[in-house]
Amino acid sequence: MMVAKAVAGTKKFTRKNGFFDQNVPGQGKMAQMKLGRNDKCWCGSGKKYKQCHQAFDTKIMRIAEEGHIVPAREMIKNPDQIAGIRQSAKINIAVLDYVAEHIHAGMSTEEIDKMVYEKTTAMGGIPAPLHYEGYPKSVCTSVNEQVCHGIPAEDVILQEGDIINVDASTILNGYFSDSSRMFCVGEVSPEKKRLVDVAKECVELGFKEVKPWGYLGDMGQAVHDHAYASGYTVVREIGGHGVGLEFHEDPWVSYNSRQGEEMLMVPGMIFTIEPMVNMGGVEIYVDEVNDWTVYTEDGMPSAQWEIMVLVTEDGAEILSY
Ligand code: MF3
Ligand code: CO
């Protein structure tokens, strides 16, 4: 069970606070719009509905009638939006590449924050975390037993043997991208190295399950099973999310899900896969002072990689990593 003090701090990243309550078949705003065969399609293509998304909608409706959770139209990005999100992701990737080149023992996480701010803005972007829900910095830097949302600071100095997650998110022309990587500072213990490697494998195995007309639970179970088979646990309260037109959109993405369950994946959906893999127990808590930083309850290390994926007509594509 989640400790009470964690509840307030998990903000928009949990399923239970109303932000992710729209995962109900046919409940999206645009789902109410009934279109005639010759009307213009809802997707913005300019084509007639019958020549565009009508067959697609019929298929989704049939799957919903079978009892599955299906995406609302708002979750399906059109080609212009995908192009914009792709450009945003280019900056996000460049920012993480830049961090990878310069991260070293002895530097503060505040310096990482500066690098992220400078690189993002130099490329024309805005760091999405800055002032998001009151978040004070441009990036999250989560060290060792910090699970996520570590806040960069002058007095957090990277030590040889640390593992750190750097989670970058970018806004470009109103389009959002989001991904994170782990870095090992100097020589780390074999135990921590293995945790970092397994967390990455979890994301890769999850990604293999992303395809149109599959279910988010196919991905979630692959992530979960690999982590637990490796002797680790996966944080339950905080998940991935739709992304692109907002920082955090529906659906909420769990790794505590089963094959064939959760939302149907269809072409045009964009979401993150970002499991937090704990070396020890699954329990977490949120820093009571800053109300952001999440820690493992038992103080054991946690690792997270995050990719942003697009479901395509014939599979899936990683947009940011
Ligand atoms: N980038 C994180 C995610 O993966 C969210 C960080 S929100 C912030 O969803 F405000 F803490 F930056
Ligand atoms: Co994310």
Side-chain angles (χ1 to χ4, degrees), residues 144-155:
N144 298 327
E145 75 280 9
Q146 292 182 337
V147 171
C148 65
H149 305 162
I151 302 178
E154 292 280 6
D155 60 354

Side-chain angles (χ1 to χ4, degrees), residues 28-49:
K29 283 189 289 278
M30 293 168 78
Q32 274 100 345
M33 258 165 66
K34 263 269 176 208
L35 291 180
R37 293 170 46 74
N38 291 316
D39 289 340
K40 278 201 190 341
C41 188
W42 53 264
C43 76
S45 64
K47 287 193 226 164
K48 286 184 177 168
Y49 185 45

Side-chain angles (χ1 to χ4, degrees), residues 38-216:
N38 291 316
D39 289 340
K40 278 201 190 341
C41 188
W42 53 264
C43 76
S45 64
K47 287 193 226 164
K48 286 184 177 168
Y49 185 45
K50 66 181 180 193
Q51 282 149 1
C52 201
H53 275 90
Q54 189 176 31
F56 176 91
D57 283 354
T58 306
K59 184 168 178 180
I60 290 185
M61 238 114 95
R62 182 177 51 71
I63 294 169
E65 275 158 20
E66 287 165 5
H68 289 285
I69 303 168
V70 300
R73 286 177 186 166
E74 293 88 330
M75 296 178 211
I76 299 163
K77 273 76 181 175
N78 67 37
D80 287 347
Q81 292 167 334
I82 292 168
I85 296 162
R86 214 184 270 287
Q87 286 306 113
S88 173
K90 279 197 181 142
I91 299 179
N92 217 58
I93 293 167
V95 165
L96 287 172
D97 286 346
Y98 187 66
V99 170
E101 274 170 42
H102 294 92
I103 195 165
H104 61 266
M107 91 188 319
S108 69
T109 53
E110 179 76 26
E111 287 173 69
I112 297 174
D113 188 69
K114 291 235 156 57
M115 285 197 283
V116 169
Y117 181 83
E118 294 302 331
K119 186 73 182 171
T120 306
T121 52
M123 293 183 75
I126 302 166
L130 193 58
H131 309 313
Y132 174 79
E133 299 270 321
Y135 188 79
K137 297 286 176 177
S138 296
V139 66
C140 297
T141 50
S142 307
V143 183
N144 298 327
E145 75 280 9
Q146 292 182 337
V147 171
C148 65
H149 305 162
I151 302 178
E154 292 280 6
D155 60 354
V156 179
I157 309 294
L158 296 183
Q159 313 285 339
E160 175 103 9
D162 283 344
I163 58 170
I164 178 175
N165 170 275
V166 178
D167 190 341
S169 316
T170 299
I171 314 172
L172 178 71
N173 302 325
Y175 294 111
F176 290 77
S177 53
D178 186 10
S179 59
S180 77
R181 301 183 199 167
M182 293 299 295
F183 298 101
C184 293
V185 183
E187 280 297 309
V188 307
S189 69
E191 291 78 16
K192 279 180 164 176
K193 177 75 170 64
R194 181 170 172 270
L195 176 70
V196 168
D197 290 344
V198 169
K200 188 172 193 194
E201 291 161 11
C202 283
V203 168
E204 287 163 356
L205 290 168
F207 175 67
K208 281 196 186 159
E209 300 299 322
V210 179
K211 43 179 106 62
W213 315 110
Y215 295 89
L216 281 175

Side-chain angles (χ1 to χ4, degrees), residues 242-253:
V243 58
L245 309 182
E246 307 274 353
F247 197 170
H248 298 101
E249 304 172 3
D250 284 333
W252 187 75
V253 177

Side-chain angles (χ1 to χ4, degrees), residues 1-7 10 14 145 147-148 234-238 276 278 281-286 294-298 302:
M1 262 307 287
M2 181 119 171
V3 287
K5 63 186 168 184
V7 173
T10 43
T14 64
E145 75 280 9
V147 171
C148 65
V234 182
V235 170
R236 292 161 178 264
E237 297 88 344
I238 311 170
M276 292 143 223
N278 292 353
V282 74
E283 290 81 18
I284 56 170
Y285 68 92
V286 177
V294 180
Y295 292 84
T296 57
E297 186 72 58
D298 59 12
S302 183

